[in-house]
Amino acid sequence: LPLPAFVVRLDPLYFHLFMVGWVTELIFGVAYWMFPVFNREEPRRSPTLGWATYILLNAGLLLRAISEPVVGSGDAAFWGWLLVVSALLQWLAGLSFVTNTWGRVRAKRDPRGRKA
């Protein structure tokens, strides 16, 4: 029994919601939690940038969830641009995550200050 065309068009959206909406957000959240604050004077992370990552990623995900089924149905004029904006928002979320996390990733050192 073949699935209706509308359901088949939702396939890419389903996988995107799973991979970005669940897996990527889980990875971002665990990484944000696991990499410790260096110290109070030099925290090496910005809560504002963390929130920006969260908002950009979810705004892009929401725009994609709205626009992708419409683009899949063939009406790609305005909705195609919304899909591009959603991809841009998600890309910016990735950049802000890397920017916020990169300073907290450093090589392990032994107690004498040498690299382990």
Side-chain angles (χ1 to χ4, degrees), residues 13 16-17 19-21 24-25 28 52-65 67-68 82-98:
L13 177 61
H16 195 81
L17 288 173
M19 290 307 296
V20 175
T24 303
E25 293 219 30
F28 281 10
T53 301
Y54 177 76
I55 290 167
L56 286 168
L57 191 64
N58 284 297
L61 196 60
L62 181 63
L63 271 180
R64 184 169 185 126
S67 61
E68 189 164 14
L82 277 183
L83 201 55
V84 170
V85 170
S86 77
L88 179 64
L89 289 173
Q90 292 174 5
W91 183 73
L92 289 172
L95 283 180
S96 66
F97 172 76
V98 169

Side-chain angles (χ1 to χ4, degrees), residues 41-55:
E41 294 79 34
E42 216 178 330
R44 290 193 176 191
R45 71 173 175 193
S46 164
T48 305
L49 205 50
W51 279 108
T53 301
Y54 177 76
I55 290 167

Side-chain angles (χ1 to χ4, degrees), residues 27-37 45 104:
I27 291 168
F28 281 10
V30 169
Y32 189 79
W33 169 71
M34 280 186 63
F35 289 111
V37 173
R45 71 173 175 193
R104 297 164 50 205

